[in-house]
Amino acid sequence: MSTLPIRVLSVIPPMTQLNTPYPSTAYLTGFLRSRGVTAHQEDLALALVLRLLSADGLRAVAQRIDALPLEKHTPPIQAFVAMQARYLATIGPTIAFLQGRDSTLAHRIVGRHFLPEGPRFSTLDVYMDEDGGDPLGWAFGALGLQDRAKHLATLYLNDLADVLRDAVDSRFEFVRYAESLAGSQPTFDPLANALAGEPTLVDDTLRELTIDALARHTPTMVLLSVPFPGAVYAAFRIAQTIKAQDPNIITVLGGGFVNTELRELKDPRVFDYFDFVSLDAGERPLLALLEHVQGKRSRQRLVRTFLRDKDSGAVQYVNLVEPDVAFAEVGTPTWDGLPLDRYLSLLDMLNPMHRLWSDGRWNKLTVAHGCYWKKCSFCDVSLDYIGRYEGASATVLADRIEAIVRETGQTGFHFVDEAAPPKSLKALATELIERNAGISWWGNIRFEKTFSPELCELLADSGCIAVSGGLEVASDRLLNLMKKGVSVDQVARVTRAFSDAGILVHAYLMYGFPTQTVQDTVDALEYVRQLFANDCIQSGFFHRFACTVHSPVGKNPEEYGVTLQPLPPVTFAKNDIGFHDPTGVDHDALGRALKKAIYNYMHGIGLDEDVRTWFPFKVPKTTVSKNRIARALSQQG
């Protein structure tokens, strides 16, 4: 056991977001400091990208390209080689512009003679004026100089990401880095093989950044919070470096990926990299672990923690049942130590709602732990982060908000709840208005009838600028099967109430749900078209339904008319599970049409066309009347 004072370093591993810190380290650092623990945090995801996307980083990439045979020079690499000097000259100023440190560069960027333009710029062709004029003029207008420049600079970075992928590391992406090595992988073998492989330039850069962070903070414990499969490989690389530098530093793995996919962890090789793996809300397990490290608690009294048995070498799961730390007592998140002035405001898509995920730095905060509904049949409702619902008073939340604004100097908030409760939002809005808080906020909700026009106006007055929510499959039959607790008509009225209050609305949409037919899909797209046309929603995204082992569909497939495919023996990750749907519909083919349609709808294109025109094959005519949503809006709910 360590006799040294505990020093905890929480790390955001690549890749998460580039415009704002992923919130887990801010929560953990704030909580630990509230308990008197010396705690620091690092965002190695941002640090890695800034190191690679620098003049020195691009020179190192160019050296790798020089060693490649010409037949491996893909179009992104060819463009980079042809314009290498311009890339080296523009990368520093462009990063500074996206960090908000050099706004005047926008004038040169929009002139289209400053940035080298690779294959990603071909997407601009879709916006070209008939007379061949400015392709972005219609989207941003005469005054949208900064936005126009930001979009062009984002395309430039995406070109460079493609170069890194093709020349340096085939797994590289800004978000889904090496995702396939971890997501629903039944064994640790693919990850183990990758970690034993020859390090790439990306790996070497991450190793240097990790060593620098260890030297700065001299931690006795490092927490690696992994929210997505796309952050797992890098987290293991970081742990590998830590153990090579100082095997006495305790490494702990946790986060959303662990909570959903590693609940049946059996492979002891994971513990060559991590001493402990923690499940669900991290506060209580972390307190128990800190007591254990200080010799105040035995290994047998840890909470929701995997470890490797010292004698047998087998994986053990230890869970002394103790009450979780109350949500109202977890403390205020802190961003102290994170370089808030170095995050990149990106603009991938011109849609005003869609940009919120990548543009601007948002303080991420939770209104309530878990989901108050917790019935949706596609959701992991059996897990703690959904199933254990617990709120905090409006006073506590407003106090946290004011403390965060004082610390960061920034007034934008993203409430990251699974579904923020309307009752809590109403109380918080009232409190924020009384305090003249002056913040802007957005978050995820359920489109339930509690959100009346009056409540929407109140939320707007308190600073609400946007909401997102699940319409999923726009079909009353399937919504009932999903146990969403909403109807299409109700969603129309609620979303329109938000829009009328000046609040942008994003709809999460789904295709491929059990028993969903081609007719269901065509009808759903017609509903979505009408929702856009009637200004109910401004943004949306279609994702393919995936059955997970923790959801009602995965637990009771017979209730949904499907049979599950048998899984291989699982010793590592377990989440997605294949299923057989007797309808036999080719959902992938339908999905391509749905995504094309909604991309155009978000840009105001094609809203008057028959939805069948989006499909490159014959589909049935919609059974939805052309004025169904307009009629729903004219009726009281």
Side-chain angles (χ1 to χ4, degrees):
M1 299 299 169
S2 173
T3 56
L4 296 171
I6 296 292
R7 295 174 60 86
V8 178
L9 174 62
S10 297
V11 174
I12 303 172
M15 291 298 206
T16 49
Q17 288 178 271
L18 298 179
N19 65 307
T20 197
Y22 193 78
S24 55
T25 63
Y27 293 161
L28 291 171
T29 303
F31 170 71
L32 289 170
R33 289 183 181 180
S34 74
R35 299 300 176 107
V37 178
T38 301
H40 300 281
Q41 56 190 325
E42 284 274 348
D43 189 342
L44 292 187
L46 177 69
L48 176 66
V49 168
L50 293 181
R51 181 73 64 89
L52 291 170
L53 298 184
S54 66
D56 287 342
L58 294 186
R59 288 190 189 97
V61 172
Q63 289 178 353
R64 300 302 194 278
I65 292 173
D66 289 342
L68 286 177
L70 283 177
E71 61 267 21
K72 292 194 174 180
H73 281 212
T74 61
I77 291 177
Q78 292 170 8
F80 178 78
V81 170
M83 299 182 283
Q84 182 177 320
R86 287 183 63 198
Y87 276 109
L88 291 174
T90 53
I91 187 63
T94 303
I95 292 293
F97 167 71
L98 290 171
Q99 291 172 331
R101 295 188 288 115
D102 188 4
S103 62
T104 57
L105 190 66
H107 295 273
R108 292 205 64 193
I109 292 175
V110 299
R112 303 288 295 277
H113 298 294
F114 179 71
L115 296 179
E117 297 188 1
R120 290 284 190 143
F121 283 76
S122 64
T123 60
L124 295 176
D125 295 344
V126 73
Y127 311 120
M128 187 63 71
D129 293 347
E130 289 183 5
D131 61 0
D134 178 9
L136 297 182
W138 73 272
F140 297 116
L143 299 177
L145 178 75
Q146 293 293 322
D147 282 352
R148 224 182 295 196
K150 200 177 291 185
H151 184 60
L152 293 167
T154 301
L155 294 175
Y156 164 89
L157 292 196
N158 287 337
D159 270 328
L160 289 173
D162 292 344
V163 174
L164 282 163
R165 180 198 64 210
D166 293 350
V168 173
D169 188 337
S170 61
R171 302 163 301 208
F172 185 82
E173 283 191 64
F174 281 148
V175 178
R176 296 180 174 85
Y177 179 35
E179 186 177 60
S180 62
L181 293 175
S184 296
Q185 279 286 359
T187 80
F188 188 62
D189 289 348
L191 200 51
N193 293 336
L195 293 165
E198 188 70 22
T200 67
L201 173 64
V202 178
D203 296 327
D204 288 338
T205 306
L206 183 57
R207 178 179 174 276
E208 293 169 6
L209 292 168
T210 301
I211 291 170
D212 290 347
L214 294 178
R216 270 195 305 279
H217 301 293
T218 61
T220 54
M221 178 183 290
V222 176
L223 310 178
L224 283 144
S225 181
V226 177
F228 320 115
V232 174
Y233 170 74
F236 274 81
R237 277 291 189 190
I238 292 167
Q240 187 181 51
T241 299
I242 293 170
K243 289 303 183 187
Q245 284 292 112
D246 184 353
N248 293 316
I249 296 175
I250 297 162
T251 50
V252 187
L253 180 66
F257 168 81
V258 177
N259 298 339
T260 54
E261 303 215 16
L262 298 190
R263 304 190 79 86
E264 298 179 26
L265 179 63
K266 298 182 181 68
D267 197 315
R269 291 177 292 176
V270 170
F271 297 91
D272 294 340
Y273 306 86
F274 292 96
D275 297 290
F276 303 97
V277 176
S278 172
L279 291 183
D280 299 328
E283 291 85 5
R284 180 58 67 195
L286 196 49
L287 290 179
L289 192 54
L290 290 172
E291 289 182 1
H292 167 62
V293 169
Q294 294 171 312
K296 300 175 184 177
R297 181 185 285 245
S298 69
R299 286 165 71 95
Q300 290 72 37
R301 297 185 65 245
L302 292 173
V303 178
R304 295 197 299 272
T305 300
F306 288 103
L307 47 84
R308 182 161 55 187
D309 184 75
K310 291 179 178 178
D311 298 323
S312 68
V315 177
Q316 280 188 319
Y317 179 62
V318 182
N319 184 19
L320 178 69
V321 178
E322 292 185 1
D324 275 293
V325 178
F327 179 68
E329 298 172 10
V330 296
T332 300
T334 178
W335 281 264
D336 178 46
L338 296 178
L340 299 184
D341 59 341
R342 302 191 72 205
Y343 286 87
L344 304 170
S345 273
L346 304 177
L347 191 48
D348 273 308
M349 190 174 238
L350 310 187
N351 175 271
M353 174 75 204
H354 211 86
R355 68 184 293 177
L356 294 178
W357 279 273
S358 63
D359 183 22
R361 211 205 67 72
W362 303 95
N363 299 308
K364 293 181 183 283
L365 191 67
T366 307
V367 174
H369 181 281
C371 177
Y372 68 99
W373 180 250
K374 55 189 174 190
K375 294 178 184 178
C376 298
S377 55
F378 55 82
C379 190
D380 293 341
V381 293
S382 62
L383 299 185
D384 176 80
Y385 80 100
I386 300 287
R388 179 169 62 86
Y389 174 68
E390 191 179 353
S393 71
T395 302
V396 167
L397 292 172
D399 286 346
R400 289 177 181 172
I401 287 168
E402 289 184 340
I404 291 167
V405 172
R406 283 195 299 272
E407 178 187 273
T408 66
Q410 293 168 323
T411 59
F413 283 80
H414 176 196
F415 296 152
V416 294
D417 301 66
E418 296 301 313
K423 183 177 178 182
S424 298
L425 287 180
K426 181 178 182 180
L428 176 59
T430 303
E431 185 75 15
L432 292 172
I433 292 168
E434 288 181 358
R435 297 189 187 199
N436 290 315
I439 69 165
S440 302
W441 63 268
W442 60 288
N444 202 49
I445 61 162
R446 289 181 64 248
F447 294 133
E448 61 167 78
K449 60 185 178 184
T450 311
F451 288 107
S452 63
E454 294 74 22
L455 178 54
C456 292
E457 289 286 352
L458 178 73
L459 298 181
D461 289 345
S462 75
C464 180
I465 57 170
V467 293
S468 57
L471 173 53
E472 315 310 349
V473 175
S475 155
D476 286 335
R477 178 183 75 82
L478 291 170
L479 285 172
N480 286 331
L481 188 60
M482 288 179 175
K483 300 183 174 65
K484 281 293 295 183
V486 299
S487 67
V488 174
D489 286 7
Q490 178 182 310
V491 168
R493 287 188 285 268
V494 169
T495 52
R496 182 59 182 269
F498 277 110
S499 292
D500 286 347
I503 296 170
L504 294 169
V505 183
H506 174 88
Y508 292 108
L509 301 156
M510 184 185 293
Y511 64 99
F513 192 74
T515 74
Q516 184 175 357
T517 64
V518 175
Q519 185 70 65
D520 287 328
T521 303
V522 172
D523 288 349
L525 185 57
E526 173 60 19
Y527 279 125
V528 170
R529 183 195 69 79
Q530 292 187 34
L531 288 169
F532 273 100
N534 284 277
D535 198 30
C536 295
I537 61 176
Q538 291 76 46
S539 174
F541 181 76
F542 270 107
H543 64 276
R544 174 72 183 268
F545 167 76
C547 182
T548 67
V549 294
H550 309 294
S551 69
V553 177
K555 289 180 175 294
N556 305 293
E558 65 284 350
E559 293 182 16
Y560 301 89
V562 298
T563 54
L564 301 183
Q565 297 174 2
L567 285 170
V570 174
T571 56
F572 186 57
K574 180 180 179 183
N575 190 37
D576 290 359
I577 182 169
F579 63 94
H580 173 70
D581 187 338
T583 57
V585 174
D586 184 354
H587 292 296
D588 288 337
L590 293 169
R592 288 188 287 274
L594 294 174
K595 291 176 180 179
K596 183 178 181 180
I598 202 157
Y599 181 85
N600 281 276
Y601 291 165
M602 286 192 288
H603 293 96
I605 300 169
L607 288 171
D608 295 326
E609 294 181 18
D610 188 314
V611 294
R612 288 176 292 178
T613 60
W614 300 110
F615 298 90
F617 44 82
K618 189 173 182 179
V619 295
K621 183 180 181 180
T622 181
T623 63
V624 180
S625 68
K626 294 293 184 184
N627 63 347
R628 169 67 187 276
I629 295 301
R631 192 168 65 244
L633 293 173
S634 68
Q635 299 168 349
Q636 293 299 315

